[in-house]
């Protein structure tokens, strides 16, 4: 391991970069406090029903410098005061990751400071330590994003175990693919969330597929069930979707949340844990936030729901994770390469 230190410093200042999917984000942290968190979203994917990897990496290249400059400016930090540069190593889209990884390495090399490589899903969990109230160990975190759906047993800041996960599609993917079937734009989750508020969650019934292991999820069967139901109804009435959009959205959202909550309750029971958190893009969903709060009241859980800005991809959570790694002296070698998949 090559570690480049700029001499001993009392305080720890880290620049963190997140570029694993379609958001370019940079954050500056000092001594465990996130001073700035700047994110540029990519509108180029809106018409495609999902992220187009090549367009995503090109947009990251355009955004990375202005986003980093803005994060440093907002934090009032000069790049020469940084002690380390952190970036997401994976999992994610390889072309997108490559932009953050290359930029982060180059900047660190030019400043003569170490790099810290961060696991994206671990960072979603540690977003809970950016602000109070912070969960105490051990706790369970339902991490639900566009690419992952996991129940994580969090034993310590950097000691986590995935105890349940999806065997096919992620919960966010179920939202996004449903939105595509309904002719809505990408990302579909927030649009379905908004429309669902006006609809009846019991108007339509969809399949609730189970995986072999009780804490695992399967969303691909739900997607097929929605597709077949819509097809059948549209044969009877071509204007079915237009006439029933809020009810369809509310029913789909209800089914996704029901599946998530069933596994989460089971995990809480199985591990005897009452500190329960949610994280990831789908944790911004108003229905899921309400369902977790309600389950908290019912089962006596201490519930941790992140602020909206730390639900979807952001570099604040990468900075927070990097800070704990920094304290453990967990620096990476300059020859690291991005990884599209790797274990938490
Ligand atoms: O964590 P994230 O920003 O990126 C990944 O790591 O994938 O999550 C993005 C996902 C998308 O699938 C998006 O539709 C979903 O989070 N999402 C939502 C909401 N806001 C974002 N899903 C449901 N309701 C929302 N309000
Ligand atoms: Zn994410």
């Amino acid at each position: 391991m090559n570690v480049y230190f700029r001499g001993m410093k009392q305080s720890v200042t880290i620049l963190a970069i997140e570029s694993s999917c379609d958001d370019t984000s940079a954050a500056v942290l000092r001594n465990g406090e996130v001073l700035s968190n700047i994110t540029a979203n990519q509108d180029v994917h809106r018409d495609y029903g999902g992220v187009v990897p090549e367009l995503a990496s090109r947009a990251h290249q355009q955004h990375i410098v202005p986003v980093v400059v803005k994060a440093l400016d907002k934090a009032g930090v000069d790049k020469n005061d940084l002690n380390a540069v952190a970036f997401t190593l994976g999992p994610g889209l390889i072309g997108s990751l490559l932009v953050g990884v290359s930029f982060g390495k180059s900047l660190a090399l030019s400043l003569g400071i170490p790099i810290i490589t961060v696991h994206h899903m671990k960072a979603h969990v540690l977003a809970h330590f950016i602000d109070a109230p912070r969960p105490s160990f051990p706790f369970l975190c339902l991490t639900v994003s566009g690419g992952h759906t996991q129940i994580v047993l969090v034993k310590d800041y950097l000691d986590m175990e995935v105890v349940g996960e999806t065997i096919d599609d992620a919960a966010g993917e179920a939202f996004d693919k449903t939105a595509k079937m309904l002719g809505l734009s990408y990302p579909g989750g927030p649009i379905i969330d908004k429309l669902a508020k006006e609809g009846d969650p019991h108007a339509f019934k969809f399949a609730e597929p189970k995986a072999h292991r009780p804490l695992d999820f399967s969303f691909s069967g739900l997607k097929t069930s929605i597709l077949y139901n819509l097809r059948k109804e549209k044969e009877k009435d071509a204007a079915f979707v237009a006439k029933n959009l809020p009810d369809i959205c509310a029913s789909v959202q209800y089914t996704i949340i029901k599946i998530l909550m069933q596994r989460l309750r089971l995990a809480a029971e199985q591990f005897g844990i009452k500190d329960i958190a949610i994280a990831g893009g789908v944790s911004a969903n108003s229905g899921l936030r309400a369902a977790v709060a309600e389950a908290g009241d019912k089962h006596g859980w201490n519930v941790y729901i992140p602020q909206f800005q730390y639900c979807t991809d952001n570099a604040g959570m990468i900075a927070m994770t990097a800070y704990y790694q920094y304290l453990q002296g967990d620096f990476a070698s300059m020859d690291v390469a991005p990884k599209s998949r790797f274990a938490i």
Side-chain angles (χ1 to χ4, degrees), residues 176-256:
D176 297 336
K177 286 180 177 170
T178 301
K180 193 175 179 185
M181 288 183 229
L182 296 173
L184 306 170
S185 65
Y186 177 86
I191 306 169
I192 291 185
D193 188 357
K194 201 164 162 213
L195 287 163
K197 291 196 173 102
E198 315 293 321
D200 173 6
H202 304 291
F204 303 105
K205 274 224 158 318
F206 300 108
E208 292 165 32
K210 286 206 154 73
H212 184 62
R213 295 193 316 164
L215 293 183
D216 282 347
F217 306 85
S218 166
F219 285 105
S220 149
L222 168 63
K223 176 186 64 188
T224 313
S225 154
I226 297 166
L227 180 72
Y228 287 166
N229 266 284
L230 291 179
R231 210 178 267 169
K232 197 176 73 199
E233 296 294 346
K234 283 200 278 192
E235 274 167 18
K236 288 189 259 171
D237 178 1
F240 173 77
V241 169
K243 285 180 188 165
N244 297 283
L245 195 54
D247 283 350
I248 301 169
C249 290
S251 303
V252 169
Q253 181 169 300
Y254 173 81
T255 312
I256 294 173

Side-chain angles (χ1 to χ4, degrees), residues 18 20-23 91 120-121 124 143-148 170-177 186-194 197 253 279-289 308 311-314 317:
E18 154 63 34
S20 65
C21 190
D22 60 339
D23 294 320
H120 182 83
M121 299 312 290
H124 269 302
T143 316
V144 268
S145 71
H148 293 80
E173 231 174 324
F175 275 104
D176 297 336
K177 286 180 177 170
Y186 177 86
I191 306 169
I192 291 185
D193 188 357
K194 201 164 162 213
K197 291 196 173 102
Q253 181 169 300
V282 180
S283 68
N285 184 270
S286 57
L288 179 61
R289 294 166 87 90
F308 282 110
C311 288
T312 47
D313 290 348
N314 66 89
M317 67 186 194

